[in-house]
Amino acid sequence: MAVNSVNLPTFLSGPMARRAESSQISFQFLTTQKVSLRVEFSGYQTQSEQTDIQLGESLFLVLLNVKPLDAEFATDIELPYHVFSDNNPIDMTGFSYQGNAALIVPKVLSNVLHGSCRNPHHPSKDSLAEADAYMARSYKNSHDRAGLLILSGDQVYADDVAGPMLVAVHQLIDVLGIYKEVPLSLSLPQTLDQQLYSRDLHLPKESWKNRSKFSVGYWLRKDEPHFSSVKAANHLITIEEFIAFYVLNFSAQAWQLVSPFEFDTSTLNNKQGTCFEAESRALQDFISTLPKVERLMANVSTLMMFDDHDVTDDWNLTPRWEQNIANSAVSKRIINNGLISYWLFQGLGNDAQQASGNLLASFHHALHKQTWDFKHFDKEIARFGQWHYCLDTTPKVVVIDTRTHRWRSEQDFDEPSGLLDWESLMELQDVLVNHESVLLVSPAPVFGVKIIETIQSIFNSCGDPLVVDVENWMAHEGAARKLINIFKREDTPKETIILSGDVHYSFCFSVQARFGRHHNRIWQLTASGIKNEFPKGLLSILEKLDIALFAPWSPFNLFTKRWQLAVSKHKSDYENGRYLVSDSAISLVNMENGKLKGYTLLHGTGEVTQFDLN
């Protein structure tokens, strides 16, 4: 297929509402033509500031900041809006619940939707569709409506790509004429059918001779892949692949332009062919619910933060991993492509281009004769250190970047890095103090399941932290100690609600300092995944072990770094009182006066799990 060989729609997706504040509301659009867009809110005179980013001959990312000319936008009430293209009204029926699309500018948060980990070809249901159903129901009672959707990591899986998805990616690149980058010096098979399910064999590896003699891999003479995901067989590589992948993850219309399920699988072996068929069934179910996801994102302000799979598994996990990537031009290029695509489709909307927009000029200069050359832009985006951000609400929303500000071990390069370095932890401390309540978004749980963290510690002792993703806050002595000291300060919030994902199961813990100087409570609310699950049988076993070994009276608690904090596990009504839930879901966090009032999981199947907060 080639550009103009199909009838391209003007809009590939509806409006995605991003950061919404009283002084400005931001939107993102995907279009196939250069158009002039305007958004009008009922009862307001506004001006729209448009930024166009051309990503292909027929692909434009449009960023639209809408500002009121007179009074500021009212907060915490529904604001209906209309979209105009070249002064012509756009039919918003498909993106509306009751005739008009409408947003809430959040100020006092009462209902927040939160989730993470959305893998298109996982056989579970997409819980974003259930969030859409919740929004449709809540229109009957606007007090229940969510004012904010927070996605805390792994919105895409660049390192775990289905076979038919990779086929669709390459078809969409051709259909939209997505600009390609300067060819990489990577020896891949020439045709896509030869690459399917075997790309990991051609990606860079580190010789076993360079591995630590304390690792099992050294003695097994096992080379260490730079891209350590066990599902890297179809790993994204080029910038055009990353761009097309994002479009297909969020646009129902884009799937009408490709036909991956007609791919001739006769070139695949039996195992690959069976996998392709299973992934096709899961993807077709995913595609069927994309219109609901688009409607959801047109009606709620959405904030995002990356975790590892948005770029690649184990991203910056250890100093050794970072060193291996830095020493390979190909590996570094792939990582940068993941970060650039995150910036385009997620990062620019988080802060309405206030800081992230400073990269736009350099990005535009990277395009030469419809080919990307990121030699200079790579330096710009690597130096950019403001992926984190805050929202001035009650409670205050604090979203932290736990990937690019890591506390690296200087003694042992194979030790897991702390999720935040000293400087970032001090900055976090300054942000947290002198607030009654804070909603803290940390991609990985701050307070995790002790038995799982113990198993991770054992693997780390064997020199293989990458095997079980040793990325918990307590894995690094300095980061753990400083974070606990922050929570024990008498000027930190009386109520801290931590929203996390990453782990593919959900839970609710509450935490209080045993020897603190003031009465405060910390809630660890973990919702994962939106479309992903931890193996249910294994999680059941781990839950029983955790209860047996780390009960409140257990002496084993004294050997954990957080022994100074009392952690309570809250049961749910899932399977007669489980506290660990492995069932794809998005969470609904209900608050009153800045304090947690309810924590509910909305499952993709339509079922609901409620946690007991007492």
Side-chain angles (χ1 to χ4, degrees), residues 109-113 134 143-144 497 525 587-592 594-600 610 613:
L109 297 176
S110 56
N111 295 291
V112 170
L113 290 164
Y134 171 82
H143 178 73
D144 294 334
I497 303 171
L525 308 181
S587 70
L588 177 66
V589 182
N590 178 240
M591 291 164 286
E592 187 173 41
K595 294 189 176 182
L596 185 66
K597 184 180 179 182
Y599 183 49
T600 306
Q610 190 79 40
L613 302 185

Side-chain angles (χ1 to χ4, degrees), residues 567-584:
V567 180
S568 300
K569 308 179 181 79
H570 291 258
K571 291 184 177 182
S572 71
D573 54 13
Y574 178 81
E575 294 186 356
N576 300 318
R578 295 278 300 274
Y579 76 87
L580 297 182
V581 179
S582 180
D583 204 335
S584 66

Side-chain angles (χ1 to χ4, degrees), residues 18 28 53 63 342-344 346-363 377 380-381 384-389:
R18 297 304 309 275
Q28 286 182 204
I53 304 175
L63 309 169
Y342 168 84
W343 166 71
L344 285 168
Q346 299 190 59
L348 281 167
N350 286 331
D351 68 346
Q353 305 111 63
Q354 292 173 13
S356 59
N358 295 331
L359 297 171
L360 281 169
S362 180
F363 177 77
F377 185 68
E380 293 287 331
I381 201 165
F384 185 75
Q386 298 181 58
W387 300 113
H388 53 291
Y389 54 93

Side-chain angles (χ1 to χ4, degrees), residues 313-327:
D313 192 24
D314 301 329
W315 179 30
N316 292 346
L317 193 148
T318 67
R320 181 77 63 197
W321 187 96
E322 292 189 60
Q323 184 183 61
N324 291 342
I325 296 297
N327 290 337

Side-chain angles (χ1 to χ4, degrees), residues 344-599:
L344 285 168
F345 293 97
Q346 299 190 59
L348 281 167
N350 286 331
D351 68 346
Q353 305 111 63
Q354 292 173 13
S356 59
N358 295 331
L359 297 171
L360 281 169
S362 180
F363 177 77
H364 288 306
H365 290 152
L367 185 65
H368 304 281
K369 297 181 180 179
Q370 298 188 345
T371 300
W372 297 111
D373 184 353
F374 292 118
K375 187 184 304 181
H376 298 293
F377 185 68
D378 283 344
K379 298 176 183 178
E380 293 287 331
I381 201 165
R383 284 197 292 262
F384 185 75
Q386 298 181 58
W387 300 113
H388 53 291
Y389 54 93
C390 298
L391 201 62
D392 187 19
T393 53
T394 303
K396 183 183 183 72
V397 176
V398 179
V399 183
I400 58 176
D401 159 22
T402 60
R403 284 284 161 189
T404 70
H405 292 280
R406 295 219 154 180
W407 190 335
R408 300 170 183 87
S409 172
E410 297 180 2
Q411 285 75 34
D412 186 349
F413 267 29
D414 292 307
E415 278 291 310
S417 299
L419 302 196
L420 283 181
D421 59 25
W422 177 265
E423 182 177 312
S424 299
L425 283 165
M426 292 300 295
E427 184 178 343
L428 175 62
Q429 176 177 285
D430 292 340
V431 170
L432 291 181
V433 298
N434 299 321
H435 288 281
E436 279 292 309
S437 57
V438 166
L439 193 68
L440 176 65
V441 181
S442 166
V446 175
F447 302 98
V449 179
K450 291 182 181 178
I451 186 64
I452 294 177
E453 292 181 353
T454 300
I455 293 171
Q456 290 176 329
S457 179
I458 292 171
F459 272 87
N460 183 46
S461 299
C462 296
D464 284 292
L466 301 181
V467 174
V468 289
D469 293 359
V470 185
E471 292 187 284
N472 63 76
W473 280 89
M474 301 302 142
H476 187 279
E477 182 71 33
R481 189 181 301 277
K482 178 58 184 174
L483 189 68
I484 290 171
N485 286 337
I486 290 174
F487 287 134
K488 288 174 60 181
R489 286 173 58 109
E490 59 185 13
D491 53 359
T492 48
K494 293 181 180 178
E495 182 97 344
T496 301
I497 303 171
I498 304 172
L499 303 184
S500 303
D502 178 54
V503 292
H504 302 170
Y505 51 88
S506 305
F507 57 88
C508 172
F509 292 170
S510 61
V511 183
Q512 287 182 296
R514 297 183 192 274
F515 315 109
R517 285 172 276 180
H518 75 308
H519 181 76
N520 68 338
R521 183 180 289 267
I522 303 164
W523 291 99
Q524 173 64 71
L525 308 181
T526 302
S528 179
I530 290 173
K531 199 176 189 302
N532 217 331
E533 294 174 349
F534 196 91
K536 289 183 170 63
L538 177 58
L539 189 66
S540 178
I541 294 171
L542 292 171
E543 180 175 353
K544 291 173 183 175
L545 285 172
D546 190 67
I547 292 172
L549 296 177
F550 294 99
W553 46 264
S554 172
F556 288 116
N557 289 308
L558 296 175
F559 297 96
T560 64
K561 293 186 178 70
R562 55 176 186 252
W563 65 272
Q564 301 175 62
L565 303 172
V567 180
S568 300
K569 308 179 181 79
H570 291 258
K571 291 184 177 182
S572 71
D573 54 13
Y574 178 81
E575 294 186 356
N576 300 318
R578 295 278 300 274
Y579 76 87
L580 297 182
V581 179
S582 180
D583 204 335
S584 66
I586 191 167
S587 70
L588 177 66
V589 182
N590 178 240
M591 291 164 286
E592 187 173 41
N593 298 322
K595 294 189 176 182
L596 185 66
K597 184 180 179 182
Y599 183 49

Side-chain angles (χ1 to χ4, degrees), residues 167 171 258-265 276 280 284:
V167 173
Q171 290 178 349
V258 296
S259 52
F261 309 117
E262 299 173 9
F263 180 79
D264 181 10
T265 58
F276 192 97
S280 294
Q284 286 167 341

